[in-house]
Amino acid sequence: DAGVIQSPRHEVTEMGQEVTLRCKPISGHDYLFWYRQTMMRGLELLIYFNNNVPIDDSGMPEDRFSAKMPNASFSTLKIQPSEPRDSAVYFCASSPPTGANTEAFFGQGTRLTVV
Amino acid sequence: GQQVMQIPQYQHVQEGEDFTTYCNSSTTLSNIQWYKQRPGGHPVFLIQLVKSGEVKKQKRLTFQFGEAKKNSSLHITATQTTDVGTYFCAGPGYSGAGSYQLTFGKGTKLSVIP
């Protein structure tokens, strides 16, 4: 397996534009997590899915953020409209069905810059 | 909610010196995981500790899980430049309706001076 695949790797966009980040989890993993990493706040969990169903989105900062998982092999994180303070590295991670008792596999991340 | 705290935030050591990072949870953990993130990279799983008082070793790295399962440490003996990166601990937390999430500490950024 190629691991968790995220796209794009880098995204530069202007304030107010819509941004969509994509993630393909490892096949067979039924937990999917979206994290945001900044120097100030570290790794923050935004939302996670179990079997394609959003379980906890309490980490989503605002209504401008939304996430979907239409099937077991694809998830998106959308920011609309984007703001400069959204600049961060966004990681997607997946875990096998044992969930809490096993490791999370991270993608390479998407570095988002909003100017 | 669950909090996982890590200290120190930064550590600069001379190559060959030892390094230790500490992790404390506000709640008892079923297990604790450690990850390493190289500069510009993504977090990579190192190890998981499950049992109270457990100690595991990976070459020069020694991981400990506290007796109360609320704290943990990572010790690196004789650091090398390849050890550079940020080390995170992470603990699973459960909220209502079986909701599970992995909470990460803020990490300890290790710099090794050659």
Side-chain angles (χ1 to χ4, degrees):
Chain A
D1 202 314
V4 176
I5 300 173
Q6 290 187 247
S7 65
R9 291 291 309 277
H10 302 273
E11 177 80 35
V12 180
T13 190
E14 291 185 346
M15 182 174 64
Q17 296 297 308
E18 176 181 305
V19 176
T20 299
L21 311 181
R22 297 172 175 79
C23 175
K24 181 181 187 306
I26 293 173
S27 177
H29 285 191
D30 59 2
Y31 281 90
L32 184 140
F33 308 88
W34 282 101
Y35 287 91
R36 178 173 67 176
Q37 186 175 41
T38 60
M39 288 291 292
M40 291 296 294
R41 302 174 69 89
L43 264 171
E44 300 175 275
L45 178 66
L46 300 178
I47 185 171
Y48 79 91
F49 296 82
N50 181 214
N51 291 319
N52 314 337
V53 177
I55 302 300
D56 188 343
D57 65 354
S58 59
M60 296 285 261
E62 303 172 27
D63 291 344
R64 298 184 296 107
F65 286 69
S66 62
K68 294 182 180 180
M69 192 165 184
N71 58 63
S73 59
F74 183 65
S75 177
T76 59
L77 177 67
K78 184 182 291 186
I79 308 172
Q80 180 185 23
S82 57
E83 296 183 3
R85 59 194 169 118
D86 301 329
S87 297
V89 180
Y90 290 81
F91 287 105
C92 174
S94 69
S95 289
T98 42
N101 297 317
T102 191
E103 65 188 272
F105 293 77
F106 282 77
Q108 302 275 10
T110 295
R111 181 173 295 275
L112 173 66
T113 303
V114 183
V115 298
Chain B
Q2 180 193 41
Q3 292 186 354
V4 177
M5 292 150 286
Q6 239 181 301
I7 56 169
Q9 190 174 357
Y10 301 96
Q11 186 78 57
H12 305 276
V13 300
Q14 201 77 34
E15 187 173 17
E17 291 182 341
D18 292 356
F19 159 76
T20 304
T21 174
Y22 301 90
C23 180
N24 288 285
S25 169
S26 57
T27 59
T28 301
L29 301 169
S30 60
N31 69 76
I32 193 154
Q33 301 174 16
W34 286 91
Y35 292 75
K36 177 183 178 181
Q37 184 177 20
R38 295 182 185 275
H42 59 282
V44 174
F45 176 80
L46 292 176
I47 207 162
Q48 176 176 276
L49 305 171
V50 179
K51 298 177 183 176
S52 170
E54 188 171 13
V55 178
K56 285 188 176 180
K57 293 192 175 186
Q58 289 181 349
K59 297 182 180 178
R60 294 177 295 103
L61 278 61
T62 302
F63 303 84
Q64 292 188 335
F65 200 11
E67 294 291 339
K69 301 182 74 172
K70 295 181 71 173
N71 61 288
S72 181
S73 65
L74 158 59
H75 180 81
I76 302 178
T77 303
T79 55
Q80 299 175 0
T81 54
T82 53
D83 296 325
V84 165
T86 302
Y87 293 84
F88 295 94
C89 63
Y94 298 89
S95 54
S99 172
Y100 142 76
Q101 60 177 274
L102 197 60
T103 301
F104 282 80
K106 289 206 183 311
T108 296
K109 186 173 182 179
L110 173 63
S111 300
V112 178
I113 305 164

